[in-house]
């Protein structure tokens, strides 16, 4: 997913200053919020969309303390420490939909850091050929799926809108 707002050092983009201000506002709004902090090497192709952002061993979730932007340098502290950390980027990106900032440090041109609101991770359950039953309750419809082997029961309560969408997407 490509960030929608980009700031780049020495850019002649007339929106560059405004973009830095928007990204700075996002950064400072992360104060005392739990964030996901992930660092990845940029692939040889340079295409950051190829990066696997799935959780890895050195990734962190932490409460960011005192995030600030002074000049073009991003400052912050980790919890339970007075030590201020910083990085000066050559490029910043902000994905306003996923609430993720992308930091490209000057000190490591082949690195990108993604900091933002942790994404929701859904528990995935796979049921093959379940037992099922169906029941109408007024305008809603309830479908119950059971997998005896896994001892799982799932109840789906569908509104008339859900049912219409389902009918549109079912084959033939």
């Amino acid at each position: 997913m490509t960030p929608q707002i980009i700031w780049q050092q020495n850019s002649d983009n007339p929106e560059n200053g405004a973009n830095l201000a928007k990204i700075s506002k996002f950064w400072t709004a992360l104060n005392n919020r739990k964030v996901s902090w992930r660092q990845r090497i940029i692939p040889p192709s340079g295409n950051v969309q190829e990066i696997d952002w799935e959780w890895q061993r050195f990734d962190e979730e932490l409460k960011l303390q005192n995030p600030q932007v002074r000049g073009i340098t991003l400052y912050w502290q980790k919890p339970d420490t007075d030590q201020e950390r910083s990085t000066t980027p050559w490029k910043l990106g902000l994905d306003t939909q996923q609430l993720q900032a992308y930091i490209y440090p000057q000190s490591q041109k082949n690195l990108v850091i993604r900091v933002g609101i942790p994404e929701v991770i859904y528990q995935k359950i796979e049921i093959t050929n379940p037992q099922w039953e169906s029941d109408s309750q007024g305008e809603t419809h309830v479908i119950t799926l059971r997998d005896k082997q896994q001892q799982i029961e799932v109840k789906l309560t569908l509104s008339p809108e859900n049912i219409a969408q389902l009918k549109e997407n079912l084959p033939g």
Side-chain angles (χ1 to χ4, degrees), residues 2-126:
T2 305
Q4 289 100 6
I5 298 173
I6 300 288
W7 169 86
Q8 195 159 343
Q9 191 174 30
N10 302 322
S11 170
D12 57 3
N13 177 352
E15 298 293 313
N16 211 39
N19 288 350
L20 180 60
K22 290 174 189 173
I23 295 167
S24 297
K25 185 176 179 183
F26 173 81
W27 182 252
T28 57
L30 293 175
N31 190 34
N32 287 319
R33 296 216 38 199
K34 184 177 179 181
V35 298
S36 165
W37 187 285
R38 299 180 183 184
Q39 300 183 129
R40 300 288 185 272
I41 300 295
I42 298 171
S45 68
N47 185 357
V48 294
Q49 292 182 342
E50 295 173 9
I51 293 176
D52 177 7
W53 291 108
E54 291 295 315
W55 188 262
Q56 293 181 12
R57 186 172 157 203
F58 296 105
D59 293 341
E60 294 182 78
E61 281 199 357
L62 59 115
K63 252 189 182 175
L64 212 56
Q65 306 291 311
N66 303 315
Q68 300 174 26
V69 178
R70 299 194 296 262
I72 62 168
T73 301
L74 282 69
Y75 295 88
W76 71 94
Q77 291 172 284
K78 288 187 170 188
D80 306 322
T81 178
D82 289 335
Q83 180 185 2
E84 186 174 65
R85 297 171 180 251
S86 68
T87 188
T88 301
W90 64 271
K91 180 178 174 182
L92 294 169
L94 177 61
D95 183 326
T96 55
Q97 289 185 328
Q98 300 297 319
L99 301 177
Q100 305 287 337
Y102 295 83
I103 305 165
Y104 300 82
Q106 283 184 12
S107 60
Q108 291 176 282
K109 297 275 190 191
N110 66 338
L111 185 75
V112 60
I113 303 167
R114 188 178 83 171
V115 180
I117 308 304
E119 62 270 12
V120 175
I121 300 173
Y122 292 96
Q123 181 181 358
K124 294 177 184 164
I125 299 172
E126 192 168 321

